[in-house]
């Protein structure tokens, strides 16, 4: 049956929907679940609208790109919005999304994004990718520390099954996480069933005021731009073109789709989104090779948005932080591996390492520092 569905998918959209695509579909949960949960529980955002926006965006992205290009929450905006500093509201997040969409649409339409990314030489790009990979691995370790025993079991089993085509590691991870959650709270599934019910998201843009738009633009959207440039444009283009040279991407195309995603999301209460390189690494590490993984995950998210919106916080409890940490760790390792320097000179490798170090702290600073250092090495000003 799965083989028939996969062949049908290939004929319809150039994607596969086989066992490995299903496994790879969950490779981005380590980023998606914590941010969505924080938005819902801390900012009290409507889970139906938020997940509806994500579901549609993932399906369209998977059908369009046909490689595992992810759709993730923007991290800098998410962290700033939910920390409580600044008194942000759902409307300020929508405002940040609109501004973000306009910025990236403008950068893509004018071609300015090509001029900016042209400054990033290969050692700089490799450094950004390596830094991102190490950051994800460290975040994964922090999450794994919430339950050392569960994390250790999940890590060992995942490593043993990582390249197993007949029984992908992700399915074991999900089963292990659910079993651990239900053992700690046997009534969890009963609570989830109580929240089943159909509901449609409502149009939210009419609730946005000018003060909230300005606040979201200045305090949330603008600080996100350097991170998106490094993580969700430069790094994801490099990663995609390294892994899938038969379907090459350009920075302009990614900028345009980022812009469109963020003009779409606020309409129904969604949050700012991007195509983060770590998410792609997660999808690929656990089996995805086409956009089918995004279509699958988008469909599942859409089902939750329409039928289980009020029980989202309960569903997410089925994924313990320790298990999500394992997913993050292996996604980070996959991303870091794609940054291999190859035949780089000693000077170029030094640029890569310096850029990677800065990337674990600030993506914008990493891009600037790496580009300047690369120029110095290229001109031979320092031997």
């Amino acid at each position: 049956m799965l083989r028939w569905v996969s062949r049908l998918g290939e004929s319809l959209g150039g994607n596969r929907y086989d066992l490995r695509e299903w496994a790879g579909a969950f490779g981005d949960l380590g980023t998606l679940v914590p941010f969505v949960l924080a938005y819902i529980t801390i900012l009290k955002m409507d889970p139906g609208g938020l997940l509806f926006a994500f579901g549609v965006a993932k399906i369209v992205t998977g059908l369009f790109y046909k490689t595992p290009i992810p759709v993730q929450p923007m991290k800098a905006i998410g962290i700033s919005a939910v920390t409580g500093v600044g008194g942000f509201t759902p409307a300020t997040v929508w405002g940040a999304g609109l501004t973000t969409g306009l910025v990236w649409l403008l950068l893509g339409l004018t071609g300015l994004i090509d001029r900016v990314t042209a400054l990033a030489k290969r050692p700089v790009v490799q450094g950004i990718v390596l830094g991102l990979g190490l950051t994800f691995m460290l975040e994964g370790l922090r999450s794994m520390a919430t339950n050392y025993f569960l994390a250790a079991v999940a890590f060992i089993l995942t490593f043993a099954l990582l390249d197993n085509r007949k029984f992908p590691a992700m399915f074991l991870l999900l089963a292990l996480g659910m079993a651990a959650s239900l053992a700690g709270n046997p009534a969890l599934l009963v609570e989830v069933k109580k929240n089943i019910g159909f509901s449609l998201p409502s149009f939210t843009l009419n609730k946005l005021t000018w003060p909230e738009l300005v606040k979201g633009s200045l305090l949330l959207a603008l600080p996100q731009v350097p991170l998106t440039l490094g993580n969700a444009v430069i790094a994801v283009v490099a990663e995609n073109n390294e892994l899938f040279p038969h379907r090459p991407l350009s920075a302009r195309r990614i900028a345009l789709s980022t812009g469109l995603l963020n003009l779409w999301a606020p309409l129904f209460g969604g949050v700012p989104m991007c195509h983060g390189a770590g998410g792609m690494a997660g999808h690929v590490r656990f089996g995805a090779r086409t956009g089918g993984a995004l279509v699958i995950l988008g469909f599942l998210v859409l089902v939750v948005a329409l039928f289980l919106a009020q029980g989202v916080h309960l569903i997410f409890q089925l994924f313990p932080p320790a298990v999500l940490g394992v997913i993050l760790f292996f996604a980070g390792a996959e991303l870091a591996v794609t940054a291999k320097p190859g035949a780089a000179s000693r000077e170029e490798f030094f640029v890569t390492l310096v850029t990677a170090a800065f990337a674990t702290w600030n993506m914008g600073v990493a891009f600037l520092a790496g580009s300047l250092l690369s120029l110095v090495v290229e001109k031979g000003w320092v031997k």
Side-chain angles (χ1 to χ4, degrees), residues 4-18:
W4 182 85
V5 172
S6 177
R7 289 177 178 175
L8 177 63
E10 289 178 0
S11 64
L12 292 177
N15 289 321
R16 297 202 308 266
Y17 301 93
D18 54 22

Side-chain angles (χ1 to χ4, degrees), residues 127-355:
I128 289 174
V129 173
L130 177 59
L132 281 170
L134 294 174
T135 300
F136 268 70
M137 294 174 77
L138 290 173
E139 289 179 3
L141 288 172
R142 293 189 189 100
S143 296
M144 290 161 65
T146 59
N147 187 326
Y148 289 111
F149 178 75
L150 179 60
V153 173
F155 188 96
I156 293 170
L157 292 177
T158 300
F159 187 78
L161 293 172
L162 205 53
D163 295 313
N164 191 307
R165 292 179 176 273
K166 293 183 179 180
F167 191 78
M170 179 56 72
F171 295 140
L172 182 62
L173 269 178
L174 295 177
L176 182 63
M178 291 180 184
S181 296
L182 292 175
N185 184 5
L188 190 56
L189 287 181
V190 176
E191 293 298 318
V192 170
K193 291 179 182 179
K194 291 180 181 178
N195 287 277
I196 296 177
F198 179 76
S199 62
L200 287 171
S202 59
F203 184 76
T204 57
L205 210 55
N206 58 339
K207 301 176 184 178
L208 178 63
T209 64
W210 279 108
E212 288 168 319
L213 174 61
V214 172
K215 184 177 182 178
S217 301
L218 296 178
L219 301 182
L220 294 178
L222 294 184
Q224 172 72 49
V225 173
L227 177 60
T228 302
L229 174 65
N231 176 27
V233 178
I234 294 174
V236 81
V237 169
E239 184 182 12
N240 180 89
N241 294 350
E242 171 78 18
L243 297 174
F244 307 104
H246 60 291
R247 291 195 181 277
L249 283 182
S250 66
R252 179 178 291 193
R253 179 174 288 190
I254 286 292
L256 289 172
S257 66
T258 301
L260 293 173
L261 284 180
N262 286 288
L263 292 178
W264 148 256
L267 298 180
F268 296 98
V271 301
M273 306 172 182
C274 67
H275 301 299
M280 185 174 193
H283 288 307
V284 171
R285 177 65 277 180
F286 287 97
R289 295 296 181 270
T290 75
L294 270 295
V295 177
I296 291 167
L297 183 59
F299 174 76
L300 295 176
V301 170
L302 208 53
V303 169
V304 174
L306 296 176
F307 296 96
L308 287 162
Q310 301 311 312
V312 169
H313 63 290
L314 297 171
I315 295 174
F316 283 175
Q317 289 181 32
L318 293 171
F319 308 109
V323 172
L324 294 178
V326 172
I327 296 174
L328 269 178
F329 184 90
F330 280 100
E334 175 69 22
L335 186 57
V337 167
T338 64
K340 55 185 182 296
S345 65
R346 184 175 183 275
E347 291 77 11
E348 289 174 332
F349 187 55
F350 179 74
V351 173
T352 296
L353 291 179
V354 171
T355 306

Side-chain angles (χ1 to χ4, degrees), residues 31-40 73-79 82:
T31 299
L32 182 67
V33 170
F35 276 93
V36 171
L37 190 59
Y39 273 122
I40 293 171
M74 285 190 167
K75 297 176 182 61
I77 290 178
I79 292 172
V82 303

Side-chain angles (χ1 to χ4, degrees), residues 63-83:
L63 291 174
F64 180 76
Y65 282 116
K66 298 180 177 59
T67 60
I69 298 295
V71 176
Q72 297 181 310
M74 285 190 167
K75 297 176 182 61
I77 290 178
I79 292 172
S80 298
V82 303
T83 53

